[in-house]
Amino acid sequence: MLLDKTGAVLGDAESSDGIGTLSGGHEAVFQRVVATWPKTPAIMAGMVGSRQGWREAAYLACPVSPAALAAKILRFDTVDGRPMAIVPGLMVRFPEHGGDVMRGEETQIVGLVQREPGFTGTAILPGTHSKWVRIESGVIVDFQTFLTGELFELLSRYSFLRHSVSGSTDELSGLPDFELGVRRTAVESAPFLAAIFAVRARQLLDGVEPTDNLAYLSGLIIGGEIAAARAGGRLGSRGQVRIVGSRSLARAYRNALSIAGHASQTLDGGELVRLGLFSLALSSGFLS
Amino acid sequence: MLLDKTGAVLGDAESSDGIGTLSGGHEAVFQRVVATWPKTPAIMAGMVGSRQGWREAAYLACPVSPAALAAKILRFDTVDGRPMAIVPGLMVRFPEHGGDVMRGEETQIVGLVQREPGFTGTAILPGTHSKWVRIESGVIVDFQTFLTGELFELLSRYSFLRHSVSGSTDELSGLPDFELGVRRTAVESAPFLAAIFAVRARQLLDGVEPTDNLAYLSGLIIGGEIAAARAGGRLGSRGQVRIVGSRSLARAYRNALSIAGHASQTLDGGELVRLGLFSLALSSGFLS
């Protein structure tokens, strides 16, 4: 994304190169993507700062304020002299149990705090690995990662339940069976590991259609995530709930939270990345 | 398995044909397996009685006593006149949420009750789909299925955690990291969906070896099953706990239960199948 000095978007470029599928060195790929752009300073976040990335930007331990994150930004120059910056990821440490890590999402949280200064509450970033982030007065206190999206994929594609579900995963959350699933795990507190077996039983005993069952499974899993996060104190009375993500996924989570009795607002993830990167670039002195 | 009139074992035969991979009709496969045996009556249990099986023996709704199960045994003859019997599966119904089903395990429970008349307590049948069965005075009250084994397989082989684990799944439960994992979910009550992310973080932040991490993941999952079953009242003060299964899996569950503070005894699953089938054959009048 190419921005002007006020942070307004001038252009956009995408590459299908990911951390697992890089076609060449990091710098070569970068130069190819921005080949037609002016040689402005560039700021990056996410897996580009991992051990397998371009340069390693070590994880910062929570709690972390946006200012503390800005102070630890990694800076270097490309071979042809372009100033570069990488935002570090964040970690939470649990003695004996490793901890938890994020890369990229921290930049969206900075964007959220930039948009709502002094924010207190919970930010949920749903996805393959959903992040629940506690924020107090604009400081990232801690976070927890749930394997929700990946588990939905594994169960619906590779488990024995694959014979009981089918259809598109878009817009499942409007279906009645999505609500039924959310209620099962988030309201009736059925244990997730057992509740999912009912997907098979519903087909076997009640002839439920595979498309309805996919919505049910989605509801069970998102409801299970909400129940677990709530049990861990991540949906307390303090502060508000923001969901940061793509439109359809953010809506599914807002619906599920509403069924479970929690109000929330959705925010566009791409917009928060832009806001977060721009504000970090300025506050770190990388841009002036 | 070929038994004499007292239930003693005279012979044993196995086939790699399963419900998904049957090489020919059910009767042809059966005749091939027992070709050299005398033409005694034969009693069967499991998927052979499913809709895709040899003959469908409809599920009985719990609670079910061994006598009630015996009364519903399906009987027919092979083309060459051999008397055959199939033990029905069991079901529990949940309004709106399908229910739960088992086929085959009910026969092991009958064997358990045959061995310990009037048994009251919980039988755990660990496996791909673990069953927790509540038994009161020898009657199967209800049961719940957990996808523990299948999830362990999916996570260790197909999820992003596969890069953080490796090694054989046998005898994991003796390793210190198995206990650490069980404690995390069954004692500290960390939510399973989030706790498993630590497998990756342990590798990334603490350099934990993949073999130790596999034991940790196994502990987390079995511990998560125990925590969920306990929350559902399946490990109350009433009655005893029996684990029915293969040696290494039964030991893993006994270790995990012990770490979580519950005493249990292990029983050999194959032996209970034999006991259950023989006692059902007699009490139903199929054999006299």
Side-chain angles (χ1 to χ4, degrees), chain B residues 122-140:
Chain B
T122 299
I124 306 170
L125 297 85
T128 308
H129 301 157
S130 286
K131 308 281 182 187
W132 288 62
V133 187
R134 285 201 303 154
I135 304 161
E136 283 196 29
S137 306
V139 174
I140 300 173

Side-chain angles (χ1 to χ4, degrees), chain A residues 99 119 131 220:
Chain A
F119 179 83
K131 308 281 182 188
L220 285 180

Side-chain angles (χ1 to χ4, degrees), chain B residues 24 46 75 88 98 102 114 120 202 205 208 219 237-238 253:
Chain B
R75 293 167 67 158
M102 64 163 63
Q114 181 69 13
T120 290
R202 277 160 46 96
L205 303 178
V208 171
S237 53
R238 292 198 62 202
Y253 273 71

